[in-house]
Amino acid sequence: MPLLDLGYRKWEGERTPRALRWLVVTITGALMIWRGYWLRTILALSLSPIIFTVIGFFFFEQGLQNGESQIWISQIVRRSMGMEELALKIMTNPEEARHEVWSLFLLTFFKQSQVYCMVVVLGLTAPRLISYDLRSRAYLLYLSRPLSPAEYLLGKASVLWFLLLAIATAPALCVYFFGVLISPTWKVVFDTWDLPLRILAATAALALPTSALAIFFSSMTTESRFAGFAWFATWIVGWVTYSVLTSVSAFGQANTELLGSELYRWQMVSPYHTLGQVQTIIFGANSNDEPFLVPIITCSAVTIGGFYLAHRRIAGMLRA
């Protein structure tokens, strides 16, 4: 008889619930990327645009009692955004315009500032999430446990979702509640009750396709620098291509309706403009003649296709 027989022994300790096993991957990935000094710095800087949004909320609410602030907000809406009807409503009946103005400020916060922060933050973090595991073969350590490839991808994507909640959702909700606190009456809660839901919907519209695209790039290579290059190139090339195509379409185009349809048609080549259009729809700032199915279908296709191809890649590595 051997002195020590180490065979298979059933685990008698406490088990993690099946539905929460992906959290192990999320925590490990979050700890890995949090070590970067530049990431922490950029995350802190990404919160700075909240100051301008808060100022806008403050001046608008002050405009309910101060005519000068009311005129200032109206001029910004008219000159910078070209919304004549909303500018007139701010001057005549600002309380009725409150929902539209708050939606416009929050849309600008998402569309004009946080998208840029998202591109930088995800470009610094996402490329390493899976490519590092593929290079070091750490994915075999994860998947040797009772963890499926889908749960592994869910854990990696959750790292990116957590970052987007920190740079987009939490600041936007703070701005909204700030607006509620400085409003002259609690009636504002009933006038704007749907805005927190729109913020969450705008976050989902931002997080799902971008995380799917970033996870896809990271899973296709063992070198994170290649995944990072593909990520930034997609956004830059899409922006430049959209700008060139729309400039060519606008050259010599006298019919404004045809020009508008041309601009919307080219949105699919630019991830930035496609996401911006979806968020515009969510906050109700789009006009009736703007198409809404094309950008939504495009984002849905990127989300499904990105996660599907990444899952296929990880599952294929296990069979290799």
Side-chain angles (χ1 to χ4, degrees), residues 5-180:
D5 185 9
L6 289 179
Y8 174 79
R9 291 178 293 178
K10 184 178 180 180
W11 174 256
E12 300 295 342
E14 184 178 356
R15 292 176 178 266
T16 303
R18 178 81 190 189
L20 299 178
R21 290 176 185 174
W22 55 271
L23 282 176
V24 176
V25 182
T26 302
I27 295 172
T28 304
L31 292 176
M32 179 185 71
I33 65 175
W34 191 251
R35 297 171 186 167
Y37 169 77
W38 285 108
L39 175 63
R40 297 196 300 269
T41 303
I42 292 174
L43 282 176
L45 293 175
S46 67
L47 300 179
S48 58
I50 194 177
I51 299 174
F52 303 100
T53 310
V54 166
I55 292 174
F57 270 72
F58 175 78
F59 274 102
F60 175 76
E61 291 302 322
Q62 288 297 310
L64 297 178
Q65 305 167 352
N66 185 344
E68 294 182 1
S69 298
Q70 194 171 323
I71 295 173
W72 183 70
I73 293 292
S74 177
Q75 290 177 347
I76 290 178
V77 172
R78 178 182 292 108
R79 296 176 181 177
S80 302
M81 304 176 183
M83 298 182 175
E84 294 289 342
E85 294 183 3
L86 180 57
L88 181 61
K89 186 183 290 186
I90 292 173
M91 294 298 300
T92 56
N93 197 339
E95 291 191 1
E96 286 189 6
R98 176 185 281 125
H99 187 280
E100 294 182 55
V101 173
W102 283 26
S103 298
L104 191 61
F105 284 152
L106 291 172
L107 173 62
T108 303
F109 176 74
F110 269 92
K111 188 176 178 180
Q112 300 296 335
S113 59
Q114 299 314 98
V115 169
Y116 301 127
C117 298
M118 176 275 299
V119 172
V120 176
V121 170
L122 264 62
L124 294 177
T125 58
R128 293 182 294 167
L129 286 179
I130 298 180
S131 62
Y132 181 81
D133 289 348
L134 295 178
R135 185 171 68 252
S136 63
R137 303 186 71 82
Y139 71 97
L140 295 175
L141 181 63
Y142 284 116
L143 299 177
S144 64
R145 271 65 174 173
L147 194 72
S148 67
E151 292 170 330
Y152 171 78
L153 289 177
L154 176 60
K156 294 295 186 179
S158 297
V159 178
L160 306 181
W161 296 342
F162 173 76
L163 293 175
L164 292 177
L165 287 174
I167 66 177
T169 312
L173 290 175
C174 289
V175 170
Y176 170 77
F177 288 116
F178 172 81
V180 171

Side-chain angles (χ1 to χ4, degrees), residues 110 169 197-207 275 278-279 282-283:
F110 269 92
T169 312
L197 301 179
R198 293 178 186 269
I199 290 172
L200 296 178
T203 302
L206 177 67
L275 282 175
V278 173
Q279 292 173 338
I282 290 173
F283 282 104

Side-chain angles (χ1 to χ4, degrees), residues 239-255:
W239 179 289
V240 173
T241 304
Y242 173 83
S243 301
V244 171
L245 292 175
T246 52
S247 298
V248 172
S249 299
F251 182 76
Q253 181 65 265
N255 192 325

